[in-house]
Amino acid sequence: AQRVTQPEKLLSVFKGAPVELKCNYSYSGSPELFWYVQYSRQRLQLLLRHISRESIKGFTADLNKGETSFHLKKPFAQEEDSAMYYCALRDTGTASKLTFGTGTRLQVTL
Amino acid sequence: DTGVSQNPRHKITKRGQNVTFRCDPISEHNRLYWYRQTLGQGPEFLTYFQNEAQLEKSRLLSDRFSAERPKGSFSTLEIQRTEQGDSAMYLCASSVWGANEQFFGPGTRLTVL
């Protein structure tokens, strides 16, 4: 069975500090990993995906198959980064449902 | 607004009543997904359609739950004989087959009294 673990419910950092949101997964097949974000009063939206190897809003995430991790990082947190972040996994074969972690709330304070 | 839409946005019902939610996906998106999210949890997969065919159902989807997508466009999710444990946010998402991104709707918040 596929599983995504986000160990922190809340991460509070100061503006300008580095951010790392942890995500670990368990899956026997070949997974695709995603980070979704939900800003206050907005719908869930895709932030980035491991396949693209892109940086969005200063965030990056590297898939580490050895450690089965997909941590989300940003060198300098901004106030507008405050949101709920969900790590999600999808099977590359069926390319269907997403399995989400429980989410981490990032709070950036002055 | 050309995004995924869901109606109603909020529903309060009494235990034992039936409720139906509607999801309108983005035009030309042939895949449509339903998820359920309870407090403190991430979204959990319920079922998905490719066009009008329901391809997968989660074990979370008990016999009281039924979903349809009759013409391959909008979808409905019905819950019969609601229970307090059904209280949750019901999310709909759509995508193009083969694409990485699922686009989510705003959700329908169900409260069962």
Side-chain angles (χ1 to χ4, degrees), chain A residues 36-62:
Chain A
Y36 276 78
V37 61
Q38 188 166 26
Y39 301 102
S40 179
R41 296 192 182 89
Q42 294 187 27
R43 61 187 68 189
L44 200 58
Q45 58 187 278
L46 178 67
L47 179 62
L48 53 78
R49 54 202 133 190
H50 90 268
I51 287 178
S52 302
R53 301 183 66 83
E54 57 201 344
S55 173
I56 302 292
K57 299 183 179 182
F59 284 98
T60 59
D62 290 319

Side-chain angles (χ1 to χ4, degrees), chain A:
Chain A
Q2 50 203 48
R3 186 176 191 144
V4 177
T5 303
Q6 293 179 252
E8 302 142 327
K9 282 194 177 300
L10 172 66
L11 182 65
S12 187
V13 301
F14 288 110
K15 179 181 175 180
V19 174
E20 183 178 46
L21 299 172
K22 291 183 168 34
C23 172
N24 288 88
Y25 67 91
S26 63
Y27 186 60
S28 56
S30 181
E32 290 179 273
L33 274 296
F34 304 85
W35 278 99
Y36 276 78
V37 61
Q38 188 166 26
Y39 301 102
S40 179
R41 296 192 182 89
Q42 294 187 27
R43 61 187 68 189
L44 200 58
Q45 58 187 278
L46 178 67
L47 179 62
L48 53 78
R49 54 202 133 190
H50 90 268
I51 287 178
S52 302
R53 301 183 66 83
E54 57 201 344
S55 173
I56 302 292
K57 299 183 179 182
F59 284 98
T60 59
D62 290 319
L63 179 60
N64 185 324
K65 292 186 178 180
E67 295 183 358
T68 59
S69 68
F70 188 58
H71 303 326
L72 183 67
K73 299 178 183 179
K74 184 170 183 176
F76 308 104
Q78 302 297 315
E79 281 183 84
E80 56 266 29
D81 297 329
S82 295
M84 197 73 187
Y85 291 81
Y86 293 95
C87 183
L89 175 156
R90 187 175 74 171
D91 174 74
T92 51
T94 60
S96 60
K97 66 186 179 189
L98 291 167
T99 298
F100 286 88
T102 51
T104 298
R105 178 167 297 284
L106 175 63
Q107 196 169 62
V108 181
T109 56
L110 296 174

Side-chain angles (χ1 to χ4, degrees), chain B residues 5-43:
Chain B
S5 61
Q6 293 186 244
N7 287 287
R9 295 291 306 277
H10 304 273
K11 179 71 178 178
I12 300 174
T13 191
K14 293 182 179 179
R15 189 177 51 186
Q17 298 294 304
N18 298 345
V19 294
T20 300
F21 310 140
R22 176 177 170 129
C23 170
D24 287 89
I26 294 172
S27 299
E28 296 155 11
H29 278 194
N30 49 14
R31 285 208 169 175
L32 187 148
Y33 308 80
W34 285 99
Y35 295 85
R36 182 174 70 184
Q37 186 172 21
T38 53
L39 201 60
Q41 300 297 316

Side-chain angles (χ1 to χ4, degrees), chain B residues 49-113:
Chain B
F49 294 83
Q50 179 155 312
N51 300 312
E52 64 275 8
Q54 189 173 18
L55 295 188
E56 186 176 351
K57 293 195 291 186
S58 161
R59 284 172 292 182
L60 290 175
L61 215 64
S62 75
D63 291 346
R64 298 183 297 104
F65 287 71
S66 63
E68 293 183 343
R69 195 183 183 198
K71 298 182 179 178
S73 56
F74 73 91
S75 175
T76 57
L77 177 68
E78 181 184 15
I79 309 174
Q80 296 183 325
R81 306 181 303 282
T82 52
E83 302 173 355
Q84 288 185 325
D86 297 331
S87 294
M89 177 73 87
Y90 289 84
L91 297 169
C92 177
S94 70
S95 74
V96 175
W97 179 84
N100 285 319
E101 185 170 0
Q102 292 183 19
F103 292 82
F104 282 81
T108 294
R109 181 170 295 284
L110 173 66
T111 302
V112 181
L113 302 176

